[in-house]
Amino acid sequence: MKYNIQLKRKNKMLRICFAAFLVAFLNISCKKGFLDAKPSKSLLVPTTLADFDALLDNTTIFNFSCGLNEITSDDFYTTDDGWLGWYLITEKNAYIYADDTYQGISIVSDWDTPYQQVFYSNVVLDGLNNLRDGTVSQSDYNRVKGEALFQRAFAFYNLSQMFCLPYNKSTAKSDLGIPLRLNSDVNIKSVRATIEETYTQIINDIKLAQTLLPVNSSYKTRPNKRASDGLLARIYLSMQDYRNAETSANNALSVNNYLLDFNTLDPASYNPFPQILPNSSNEVVFYSALLNYSFTSSPLSYVDPNLYRDYDDNDLRKSLFYVDNGSGLYNFKGSYGDGGYFFCGIANDELLLTKAEAGLRNGHADNALSDLNTLLLKRYKTGSFTNITTKEPNALLHIILKERRKELVGRGIRWSDLRRLNSDLAYAVTIYHTVQNITHTLAPMGKKYVFRIPDYEIKRSGIQQN
C-alpha cells in the first residue's frame, strides 16, 4: 500500500527487522492454521516502545478489513464475463453462495488478515507489560497500548461479522463466536468463545482503549478517542443496542461533526474526492480499506440498478459515486479518494446516519430528522434540497435506512446492515446473483450469512466449523 506514512518515519533497520519477522511468520502460517502458527524463536522480537509503535504503524497489516462480504451483498453485481475474469476462486464462490467457498486453498485473507492484526496487537500488549517503569513517557505508553487494544477489537469485530451468526440477545450466550486470542503465546489452544463473550471482549477492549487514546491522532491510520466512539457506535448498532449506539455516535460527533460539501467536488473527475491519507479529509475519523479483490477493480462490476435509481437527479452522489460505462451500466468510483481501495473506515456521515436511526428508535424523532437533513443538505445541489419533515416513525425510518444504503455504498457496512435488518420482515431482503443462466439466492436469515471457517484452520486447531 503506497500510503505507508508512519513506517517511513522509522529507521531502515527497524523496517528490515519487522519485515523479516512478518515474512517468516506468514510463511509459517501459510502451511499451518493461522491460529496455530509457531514463529521461530530466532526472529528479532520487538522490545522497546519505538518497536511497538513501528509495529502498529505497519499499514500493510493493519488498516485492512474483510472484503468478501461486499461481494456477497446486494449493492453490486457482475456479468458472466466479469465473474469468469475474477482472479480468486474464493470471490467467485462467495458471489454464488457456494457450499465450499475455499475449495482447499491454504490462504483465506478474510480470516488470516484479522488474526494477523490480533497477533501483532497481542505482541505489543504483552511487550508493554515488560517495559520498566520510568523508561518511557506515560502519554506515549498509553497511546501505543490504546492503539493495540483498538486494533484487536476492530479485528475481532470484523471477524464476528463474517464468521458468527448475527447478534441475538436471547441466544448470544450459546451461539458460537470466534476464537479470542488474548496474548501472543501461540502454544495456547484455540477455542471458540460464545457470541456474548465475543462482543463483551470487543467492547471491553474499546472502552479501555478510550481511556488511553488521545482525542486526535497524527494520522488517519491511527485510532483516537473519536474512532473508539465511532467503532462502538457501529458495534452497538449491529447488536441493535440503540441506546448505546446513539450515545456513542453523539460522543464522536460532539468533538468534530464536519461534513464535506459535495457541491465543492467535480463530478466529471474519476477521482473527485480528496485523498484521505495522510490527513486531508476532516470527515474521515479513521482509515481502513476493504481487502482488495479483483471484483473491486473489474470494469464489469456494476452498481445494482435499483439502488442507482433511488438517487434523485439533484443528488450529487449519483454523479460523484458512479460513472456510466457507455452502455447504460454504472461503475462505482468510490466514495473517498483512497488510492484505488474501497474505504471502509469510520467517518462522520456514517455516524450521523447511525445517530439518526438509533435516535429515532429511541423516540428522538426531532433529533433524527435534524441529523438526516444536515447530511442531505451537503449531498444535494445547492438550492435543490427540501428538508424532510415527516416525523411518522415508520416513514422516517424507511427514509433513514434508504439514505444509509445510498450514502455508505461500497463501505463494507451493507453486509452488517442486512444481517441485523433481516430479522424485521419490513426490511428483510432476498439477494439474487445470476451467473451463466443460474440464479443463486441468499434468503433473509439464511445460513450463508455466516461464512465457513477455512478448512485448514479446522484441521489444525480443531475448532468447531460453522
Side-chain angles (χ1 to χ4, degrees):
M1 185 176 178
K2 66 181 181 179
Y3 297 110
N4 219 343
I5 305 297
Q6 293 91 311
L7 280 180
K8 291 181 180 178
R9 301 185 301 110
K10 309 300 177 182
N11 63 59
K12 185 176 181 180
M13 183 57 70
L14 264 180
R15 294 202 305 271
I16 293 173
C17 291
F18 286 133
F21 183 75
L22 170 62
V23 170
F25 184 76
L26 291 182
N27 284 340
I28 294 167
S29 66
C30 289
K31 299 172 184 175
K32 305 183 69 175
F34 188 86
L35 301 183
D36 285 343
K38 305 289 193 297
S40 167
K41 292 182 179 179
S42 66
L43 293 173
L44 177 63
V45 178
T47 57
T48 69
L49 191 66
D51 293 346
F52 303 137
D53 205 7
L55 197 58
L56 290 169
D57 274 342
N58 189 345
T59 58
T60 60
I61 292 297
F62 296 102
N63 305 103
F64 278 96
S65 300
C66 301
L68 285 176
N69 53 10
E70 192 66 40
I71 298 171
T72 54
S73 63
D74 61 346
D75 283 346
F76 303 103
Y77 76 100
T78 192
T79 62
D80 288 354
D81 288 342
W83 183 80
L84 289 169
W86 291 351
Y87 180 71
L88 295 175
I89 191 64
T90 49
E91 55 187 329
K92 290 181 179 180
N93 285 337
Y95 187 76
I96 63 173
Y97 312 116
D99 290 335
D100 186 358
T101 307
Y102 315 118
Q103 293 189 358
I105 64 172
S106 59
I107 300 176
V108 177
S109 296
D110 283 53
W111 176 267
D112 291 347
T113 297
Y115 274 113
Q116 290 171 31
Q117 295 164 358
V118 170
F119 175 78
Y120 287 113
S121 296
N122 286 334
V123 167
V124 172
L125 292 169
D126 291 348
L128 289 174
N129 290 333
N130 296 324
L131 289 180
R132 294 192 302 273
D133 292 341
T135 59
V136 297
S137 75
Q138 192 63 48
S139 61
D140 286 340
Y141 179 96
N142 289 348
R143 175 182 60 79
V144 171
K145 183 175 181 179
E147 288 181 11
L149 288 164
F150 176 95
Q151 295 286 13
R152 186 170 74 180
F154 203 176
F156 281 156
Y157 172 72
N158 288 329
L159 287 162
S160 75
Q161 299 307 289
M162 295 283 290
F163 301 101
C164 301
L165 288 167
Y167 184 88
N168 183 328
K169 187 175 181 179
S170 64
T171 61
K173 291 183 179 180
S174 58
D175 289 338
L176 283 175
I178 58 172
L180 295 173
R181 304 292 299 190
L182 301 180
N183 61 63
S184 57
D185 185 350
V186 297
N187 294 305
I188 296 176
K189 181 178 175 59
S190 296
V191 295
R192 292 186 68 170
T194 65
I195 285 182
E196 185 69 33
E197 291 167 339
T198 296
Y199 279 83
T200 297
Q201 183 63 52
I202 293 168
I203 291 169
N204 286 345
D205 273 356
I206 303 173
K207 286 186 173 181
L208 179 54
Q210 278 185 313
T211 67
L212 302 168
L213 289 169
V215 174
N216 298 302
S217 47
S218 302
Y219 302 97
K220 298 292 185 184
T221 51
R222 288 182 173 180
N224 51 37
K225 287 186 186 296
R226 286 200 302 132
S228 297
D229 276 315
L231 183 54
L232 277 174
R234 185 180 291 186
I235 293 164
Y236 284 130
L237 192 67
S238 72
M239 299 172 69
Q240 301 185 60
D241 181 346
Y242 300 115
R243 180 180 63 82
N244 280 316
E246 182 183 16
T247 297
S248 297
N250 186 63
N251 288 343
L253 290 167
S254 66
V255 179
N256 173 13
N257 61 3
Y258 174 84
L259 287 173
L260 179 64
D261 186 347
F262 281 14
N263 286 279
T264 64
L265 305 177
D266 179 11
S269 170
Y270 196 82
N271 293 298
F273 292 88
Q275 292 290 333
I276 297 174
L277 301 178
N279 287 313
S280 63
S281 180
N282 289 328
E283 187 173 317
V284 174
V285 179
F286 176 75
Y287 177 83
S288 185
L290 294 180
L291 287 166
N292 212 12
Y293 287 93
S294 52
F295 159 83
T296 59
S297 57
S298 170
L300 300 179
S301 295
Y302 305 108
V303 64
D304 173 64
N306 294 319
L307 172 58
Y308 183 79
R309 284 191 289 267
D310 274 344
Y311 294 92
D312 187 272
D313 286 342
N314 289 318
D315 190 334
L316 293 166
R317 294 172 295 189
K318 194 170 188 176
S319 56
L320 290 168
F321 286 0
Y322 311 106
V323 60
D324 189 340
N325 77 339
S327 62
L329 302 176
Y330 293 86
N331 298 118
F332 183 56
K333 291 194 283 187
S335 57
Y336 286 96
D338 49 16
Y341 294 95
F342 278 23
F343 170 77
C344 65
I346 299 164
N348 287 342
D349 57 348
E350 177 194 351
L351 291 169
L352 263 179
L353 287 163
T354 296
K355 182 170 176 281
E357 180 188 345
L360 177 63
R361 293 181 185 273
N362 291 331
H364 306 149
D366 287 336
N367 292 341
L369 202 57
S370 175
D371 291 333
L372 182 61
N373 287 325
T374 295
L375 173 69
L376 294 180
L377 184 64
K378 297 294 181 72
R379 299 317 191 229
Y380 275 67
K381 293 179 182 178
T382 300
S384 69
F385 177 67
T386 301
N387 276 346
I388 296 167
T389 58
T390 181
K391 294 182 183 178
E392 198 283 316
N394 289 330
L396 184 53
L397 180 60
H398 178 78
I399 295 170
I400 290 171
L401 291 176
K402 179 179 284 189
E403 292 302 327
R404 182 174 174 86
R405 188 183 181 197
K406 289 158 62 179
E407 176 73 17
L408 305 179
V409 61
R411 302 265 285 269
I413 293 171
R414 177 63 176 167
W415 182 253
S416 293
D417 282 350
L418 287 166
R419 282 162 51 95
R420 68 183 176 89
L421 294 172
N422 275 338
S423 60
D424 184 343
L425 291 178
Y427 297 102
V429 172
T430 298
I431 304 175
Y432 303 96
H433 287 167
T434 300
V435 174
Q436 298 178 327
N437 296 320
I438 300 175
T439 297
H440 305 269
T441 304
L442 179 60
M445 309 298 288
K447 293 182 179 179
K448 297 300 175 65
Y449 271 104
V450 184
F451 281 76
R452 286 176 61 85
I453 295 170
D455 293 333
Y456 59 80
E457 200 63 75
I458 301 299
K459 292 176 181 177
R460 295 295 181 178
S461 65
I463 59 176
Q464 186 173 338
Q465 180 60 279
N466 287 323

